[in-house]
Amino acid sequence: MPDGLFTKTQLAQQDPPLKPGGQPVGQVLYHGNSYAPLYPLGEAVPKRRATPAQRAALNRARELQYECRRCGARERYPLGKGRFCDPCRYAMTMWEQHKQAQALARELVADPAAVLLVVDVEPDSLPETQGVAVVAVHDGQVLYAAPAGEHGSPERGAVLDQLDALLVDRRVVEEPDHMGPTRRCPQFLLRPPGSRIPVVSGGDPLHPWAAHNSSVARIWAPWYAHTDYPYSTVPCLPGHGETVPWSRSLNVAADGQSMAGLLHRIADGTEPVWERAAWTLDGYGVGEPEPARGRGVLAGGRN
């Protein structure tokens, strides 16, 4: 180390502590691949000391890094930028998904172009029980209902043509997703029984309405907030899709109206949530506390 040149750390270790008073005039290599700037001792100036009040504030800030800002629990490690413990972070994540589900339901309910497309094309069903229906989300009106017809039949072709015309510029919502009954997906109207490959029909086998759409299951699951594993933030249908708050019958039009009613209840905030939903169990409120209101609003205080 050249005489009279010091690093910032070395200057701070002087008595009294010093800090650089100008630009570095050199650098020193350490650990083989790192450099530290060097400053002349003669240009160093006294380092300002923290006042007792400042020191107390800094100590308090360090202490708060271990304390959850939502529930007050004290951890053995710093909680980072958000300053939330793991249980609170879990509850807040589930609550945020819950709110997003309600926002989407409100958006669909207010959109006159949003429709529910409900199909039943189970290959083992009798032909007369297979059907397709289009129901308006806004008012539950049945816009179209007909037997689905068997795959490859003129009846099925007529249904596809009708859906192509009716669903232009519509916002389509279907019943299931990967968590639900796959045979009621609109895509199965285009596929032969037991096949996952769409049928080539005309120029484009993928009709616009058969693309991946919003799902009633994907809206209700985060609203209901059921999870299969503790501290999982992936909401899913309880009972592997067996327990759902809408009807599943041979009358697909009635099922569509049942789903529309569910979306209205979610939008209104009257649809129940899981009794073990995270924010209903922890007792510390649903989300991040507002500064003027202490620890925030308890579950049930807002939707």
Side-chain angles (χ1 to χ4, degrees):
M1 185 80 68
D3 292 339
L5 297 182
F6 294 84
T7 64
K8 284 184 178 180
T9 301
Q10 290 172 330
L11 290 175
Q13 292 172 347
Q14 301 296 313
D15 188 18
L18 302 174
K19 65 179 181 178
Q23 297 298 318
V25 297
Q27 58 186 8
V28 61
L29 175 68
Y30 66 99
H31 293 317
N33 59 357
S34 300
Y35 292 87
L38 297 174
Y39 303 88
L41 180 62
E43 296 181 6
V45 296
K47 190 174 184 180
R48 189 176 65 176
R49 295 177 178 272
T51 65
Q54 290 173 327
R55 192 173 294 108
L58 290 172
N59 291 336
R60 175 57 178 161
R62 293 189 188 97
E63 288 294 316
L64 288 177
Q65 286 298 313
Y66 296 83
E67 183 178 306
C68 177
R69 62 186 298 183
R70 182 169 177 268
C71 69
R74 186 167 181 82
E75 301 291 343
R76 294 176 298 175
Y77 50 88
L79 295 175
K81 183 178 180 181
R83 227 181 75 227
F84 296 109
C85 63
D86 287 343
C88 283
R89 196 180 305 278
Y90 162 71
M92 291 166 59
T93 300
M94 296 300 295
W95 170 256
E96 186 60 32
Q97 295 183 64
H98 172 84
K99 287 198 303 180
Q100 290 174 359
Q102 184 180 44
L104 178 54
R106 287 175 173 173
E107 186 178 318
L108 292 171
V109 166
D111 186 357
V115 295
L116 283 155
L117 175 57
V118 190
V119 303
D120 183 2
V121 289
E122 283 283 1
D124 297 332
S125 299
L126 297 175
E128 59 266 27
T129 65
Q130 296 178 341
V132 58
V134 178
V135 178
V137 176
H138 181 68
D139 55 8
Q141 180 182 357
V142 179
L143 304 179
Y144 175 69
E150 294 188 9
H151 174 74
S153 68
E155 292 78 11
R156 176 67 62 86
V159 167
L160 299 181
D161 292 341
Q162 184 69 22
L163 293 177
D164 287 341
L166 180 62
L167 299 180
V168 172
D169 299 326
R170 290 279 190 176
R171 186 170 182 179
V172 178
V173 183
E174 59 191 54
E175 175 184 6
D177 53 12
H178 68 280
M179 298 178 291
T182 57
R183 289 294 177 183
R184 298 193 80 170
C185 288
Q187 294 90 335
F188 277 87
L189 286 169
L190 308 176
R191 299 172 182 175
S195 172
R196 294 184 175 273
I197 303 175
V199 179
V200 176
S201 174
D204 184 3
L206 294 178
H207 301 262
W209 47 264
H212 182 70
N213 301 303
S214 298
S215 163
V216 172
R218 281 189 178 273
I219 296 172
W220 178 72
W223 169 269
Y224 188 67
H226 170 82
T227 54
D228 283 336
Y229 306 102
Y231 297 110
S232 168
T233 56
V234 180
C236 57
L237 300 184
H240 304 289
E242 297 174 2
T243 304
V244 292
W246 62 87
S247 65
R248 295 196 68 244
S249 66
L250 299 179
N251 187 339
V252 290
D255 292 350
Q257 291 176 317
S258 176
M259 293 179 218
L262 170 68
L263 294 178
H264 278 262
R265 295 195 300 274
I266 293 177
D268 296 338
T270 57
E271 176 66 19
V273 300
W274 189 33
E275 66 274 8
R276 296 187 59 80
W279 64 86
T280 69
L281 294 180
D282 68 2
Y284 293 106
V286 295
E288 182 177 345
E290 300 174 11
R293 302 180 66 179
R295 300 217 176 268
V297 184
L298 291 179
R302 68 181 183 190
N303 286 307

